[in-house]
């Protein structure tokens, strides 16, 4: 029996932990962990737990999966082109992960009965990535058992273990690594991201250096943790690195975290809240070193990792390390396709339609998930690229609906970004975009108690909120963000600090992605853009 908990929705009521304690556990006040693939003997308890959840955040594999439901949402005005597409069209999804699976489910629920092909470069069926840095590392569940539920409901041809290598927009063909081509009427690009590798190729091959992106990565690292290493080195203190450090401390394994920034999570939450996260790590026994970098990794004669040299001149004797260096968007296969795709992702409009290189939206190519870069009206129509579980789910649903809907029936993707992280027994959740801010204030709760909500503002309006073990409040703050409420927030709450006042958010400047193109032609009908490899002054 496979389950997944939508932790963007979960508010830590813990009813599931009471109903099925062998499957759901609470760490600290609100940090929920769960077994994504429990034994069938737990089925009755899990069903009761799902029914008892006040916010209905538990998603179960349904009985009778795999049955197509033609006609669901298929009523239309007549046999127009959109209805013909629904009945007999060909849709291809490139990306067999969370976003691809959710899009496939939505297509079938919208009444699409045509041919559906899902292409994925990894050999695994769609799996849930958040448990890889949490439940898997502490030994609660093997990485191979993080498969997502409901795959059989999609009724698709799954082409797993074969990468897409090219896209012919004119001929509507996806080229595959095995030499085949797959034709489409509509295409969804949901290729996501991959872990950024260690930059030194020779050092990257050392035995004991891990990335953390796939079930195989997580299982391999968990085996090293179970063996009781003398010291684990975590390179990078973003969410993945911080969660790895948390797992190490839960297993009583010594861990050093090296972060080149001023504090953990600065890139996502700013230096003020990052400083609180830093103290959380140190309070739990992490040797956190900020403002330094790993300059070199060294191995012994047999190629096993043994030492790390830091930029401050110090060295660390280590035999296991995790490179948590961020991610790279999987867009190389789109080179030369004519789409606006680069290291920033694939640009699309709020309806998930991809832009071509000239900035014109396409009608038959859609984008969703980590690889998408889209405008959000709440954030001055800036283009956002979000590597969030909730965004992949919501945007994939919007894209799938729009792929089989008439122009006047399409939805905009206007959901507020949300994410969560479970570390050191603390549930950290966010709504909105904390980096779109110039000030932050502790709006309620207590920082020393690690139970508070921080509200972020930009030019006098609230733009985001971050909660430490206070997730039940985020729905209220989401409503404030949606209606552009003034910042700092002015309201009476049960525990509003009497001395709370806004301070600079200390959000780091982000480099603006650059699309390097040349434009040729004179008349409007002739003007065209072309990507170039270098610029000339």
């Amino acid at each position: 029996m496979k389950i997944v908990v939508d932790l963007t929705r979960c508010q830590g009521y813990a009813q599931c932990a009471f109903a099925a304690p062998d499957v759901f556990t609470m760490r600290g006040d609100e940090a929920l962990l769960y077994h994504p693939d429990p034994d069938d003997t737990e089925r009755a308890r899990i069903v009761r737990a799902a029914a008892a959840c006040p916010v209905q955040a538990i998603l179960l594999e349904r009985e009778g999966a795999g049955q197509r439901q033609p006609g669901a949402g298929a009523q239309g005005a007549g046999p127009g082109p959109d209805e013909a597409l629904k009945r007999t069209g060909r849709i291809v999804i490139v990306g067999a992960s969370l976003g691809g699976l959710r899009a496939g489910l939505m297509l079938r629920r919208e009444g699409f009965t045509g041919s559906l092909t899902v292409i994925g470069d990894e050999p695994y069926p769609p799996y849930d990535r958040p448990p890889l840095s949490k439940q898997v590392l502490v030994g609660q569940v093997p990485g191979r058992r993080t498969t997502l539920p409901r795959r059989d409901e999609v009724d698709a041809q799954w082409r797993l273990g074969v990468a897409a290598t090219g896209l012919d927009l004119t001929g509507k063909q996806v080229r595959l690594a095995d030499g085949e081509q797959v034709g489409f009427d509509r295409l969804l690009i949901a290729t996501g991201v991959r872990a950024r590798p260690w930059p030194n190729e020779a050092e990257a091959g050392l035995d004991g250096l891990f990335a953390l992106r796939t079930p195989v990565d997580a299982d391999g690292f968990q085996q090293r943790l179970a063996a009781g290493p003398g010291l684990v080195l975590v390179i990078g203190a973003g969410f993945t690195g911080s969660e790895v450090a948390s797992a190490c401390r839960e297993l009583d394994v010594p861990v050093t975290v090296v972060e080149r920034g001023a504090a953990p999570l600065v890139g996502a939450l700013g230096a003020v809240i990052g400083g609180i996260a830093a103290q959380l790590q140190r309070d739990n026994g992490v040797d956190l070193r900020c403002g330094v970098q790993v300059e070199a990794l060294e191995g012994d004669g047999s190629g096993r990792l043994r030492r790390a040299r830091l930029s401050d001149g110090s060295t660390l004797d280590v035999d296991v390390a995790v490179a948590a260096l961020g991610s790279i968007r999987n867009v190389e296969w789109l080179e030369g396709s004519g789409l606006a795709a680069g290291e920033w992702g694939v640009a699309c409009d709020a309806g998930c339609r991809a832009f071509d290189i000239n900035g014109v939206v396409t009608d038959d190519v859609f984008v969703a998930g980590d690889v998408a870069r889209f405008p959000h009206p709440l954030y001055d129509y800036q283009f956002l690229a979000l590597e969030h579980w909730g965004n992949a789910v919501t945007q994939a649903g919007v894209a799938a609906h729009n792929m089989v809907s008439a122009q006047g029936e399409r939805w905009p993707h206007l959901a507020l970004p949300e994410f969560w992280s479970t570390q050191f027994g603390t549930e950290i959740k966010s709504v909105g975009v904390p980096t779109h801010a110039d000030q932050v204030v502790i709006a309620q709760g207590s920082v020393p108690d690690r139970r508070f909500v921080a509200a972020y503002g930009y030019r006098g309006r609230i733009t985001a909120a971050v909660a430490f073990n206070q997730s039940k409040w985020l729905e209220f703050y989401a409503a404030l963000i949606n209606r552009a409420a003034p910042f700092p927030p002015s309201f009476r709450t049960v525990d509003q600090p009497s001395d709370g006042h806004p301070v600079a958010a200390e959000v780091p400047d982000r480099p603006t992605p650059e699309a390097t193109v040349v434009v040729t032609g004179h008349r409007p009908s002739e003007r065209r853009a072309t990507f170039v490899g270098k610029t000339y002054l």
Side-chain angles (χ1 to χ4, degrees):
M1 181 180 189
K2 298 186 184 302
I3 65 173
V4 65
V5 179
D6 184 348
L7 288 171
T8 60
R9 185 182 302 175
C10 172
Q11 296 181 359
Y13 287 103
Q15 297 303 304
C16 58
F18 289 110
D22 292 334
V23 179
F24 304 95
T25 58
M26 298 296 294
R27 305 289 173 87
D29 292 328
E30 294 186 10
L32 176 68
L33 296 181
Y34 63 94
H35 196 306
D37 188 16
D39 294 333
D40 280 345
T41 57
E42 295 288 335
R43 179 178 293 273
R45 295 186 183 91
I46 293 169
V47 170
R48 285 198 298 272
C53 176
V55 294
Q56 296 296 285
I58 302 172
L59 309 176
L60 306 180
E61 193 169 47
R62 296 197 291 192
E63 299 287 351
Q67 299 298 316
R68 233 191 235 188
Q69 299 182 18
Q75 293 82 7
D82 295 301
E83 289 304 315
L85 175 72
K86 271 191 176 183
R87 291 197 304 270
T88 61
R90 301 170 302 164
I91 291 182
V92 172
I93 299 173
V94 182
S97 57
L98 175 66
L101 175 62
R102 290 305 176 104
L105 287 167
M106 176 63 86
L107 285 167
R108 292 307 188 197
R109 291 170 186 171
E110 289 279 314
F112 176 69
T113 57
S115 166
L116 179 59
T117 303
V118 184
I119 298 167
D121 61 341
E122 295 182 340
Y124 329 105
Y127 57 90
D128 205 18
R129 284 199 171 94
L132 300 183
S133 57
K134 305 175 184 71
Q135 293 98 309
V136 175
L137 296 191
V138 299
Q140 186 177 359
V141 58
R144 64 181 179 277
R145 293 181 65 180
T146 57
T147 304
L148 288 162
R150 301 184 174 181
R151 176 193 170 203
D152 291 340
E153 294 179 43
V154 175
D155 188 15
Q157 180 183 9
W158 292 84
R159 300 291 304 272
L160 302 178
V162 55
T165 58
L167 173 62
D168 177 3
L169 279 181
T170 303
K172 292 191 173 182
Q173 299 278 334
V174 175
R175 294 190 290 272
L176 304 183
D178 61 6
E180 291 191 33
Q181 297 192 69
V182 181
F184 63 87
D185 297 306
R186 296 272 162 86
L187 170 68
L188 176 63
I189 298 170
T191 44
V193 300
R194 63 186 184 273
R196 186 175 296 278
W198 186 249
N200 185 299
E201 187 174 347
E203 296 173 5
L206 290 171
D207 181 18
L209 176 63
F210 292 85
L212 200 63
R213 185 68 186 173
T214 71
V216 171
D217 296 334
D219 280 339
F221 182 52
Q222 193 278 328
Q223 291 171 11
R224 294 296 181 95
L225 289 180
L231 177 66
V232 172
L233 170 63
V234 178
I235 309 169
F239 285 107
T240 297
S242 297
E243 290 172 0
V244 169
S246 174
C248 290
R249 295 308 303 137
E250 184 170 340
L251 297 171
D252 200 28
V253 172
V255 58
T256 295
V257 176
V258 174
E259 165 59 39
R260 66 179 181 178
L265 312 180
V266 168
L269 304 181
V272 175
I273 305 304
I276 298 171
Q279 193 58 48
L280 179 65
Q281 291 202 19
R282 293 187 172 111
D283 289 346
N284 283 274
V286 175
D287 175 17
L288 175 63
R289 307 189 185 189
C290 297
V292 295
Q293 301 183 60
V294 175
E295 291 196 332
L297 298 172
E298 299 176 356
D300 59 18
S302 60
R304 291 182 65 90
L305 177 65
R306 285 291 178 260
R307 187 174 296 104
R309 297 192 178 277
L310 308 187
S311 58
D312 62 1
S314 62
T315 61
L316 295 170
D317 293 327
V318 299
D319 49 10
V320 181
V322 175
L325 306 177
S327 57
I328 299 174
R329 291 178 174 83
N330 294 318
V331 296
E332 291 84 356
W333 69 284
L334 295 170
E335 185 176 350
S337 68
L339 293 181
E343 63 180 15
W344 61 87
V346 184
C348 63
D349 70 359
C352 306
R353 297 179 300 175
F355 284 112
D356 70 12
I357 190 174
N358 297 300
V360 178
V361 294
T362 59
D363 292 323
D364 301 319
V365 181
F366 293 73
V367 195
D370 297 355
V371 76
R373 188 163 179 258
F374 63 98
H376 201 301
L378 278 176
Y379 299 98
D380 302 335
Y381 291 91
Q382 290 188 28
F383 278 74
L384 305 178
L386 303 173
E387 297 175 31
H388 301 164
W389 190 96
N391 181 70
V393 170
T394 305
Q395 192 172 34
V398 171
H401 168 84
N402 291 347
M403 291 175 83
V404 293
S405 297
Q407 180 71 29
E409 299 172 352
R410 290 178 175 173
W411 302 337
H413 176 50
L414 300 180
L416 278 179
E418 298 177 286
F419 69 82
W420 77 88
S421 177
T422 300
Q423 47 187 272
F424 307 103
T426 298
E427 186 79 348
I428 303 173
K429 287 190 176 181
S430 169
V431 62
V433 182
T435 53
H436 190 89
D438 50 23
Q439 290 188 306
V440 63
V441 64
I442 303 301
Q444 62 186 88
S446 167
V447 170
D449 293 341
R450 301 290 187 265
R451 294 181 60 84
F452 66 89
V453 178
Y456 291 73
Y458 181 69
R459 296 184 178 178
R461 65 180 175 90
I462 185 169
T463 55
V466 172
F468 278 51
N469 285 336
Q470 292 276 270
S471 61
K472 288 183 282 292
W473 285 97
L474 288 186
E475 186 175 349
F476 169 75
Y477 283 90
L480 296 180
I481 299 167
N482 276 326
R483 66 173 186 260
F487 178 90
S490 178
F491 51 79
R492 301 182 69 86
T493 68
V494 292
D495 54 358
Q496 188 170 9
S498 59
D499 58 347
H501 59 277
V503 298
E506 298 185 48
V507 174
D509 292 331
R510 289 180 175 271
T512 302
E514 295 181 358
T516 303
V517 300
V518 295
V519 178
T520 58
H522 298 283
R523 298 177 180 177
S525 62
E526 299 171 341
R527 298 280 282 176
R528 295 292 185 272
T530 306
F531 281 121
V532 295
K534 61 177 66 176
T535 58
Y536 300 89
L537 298 180

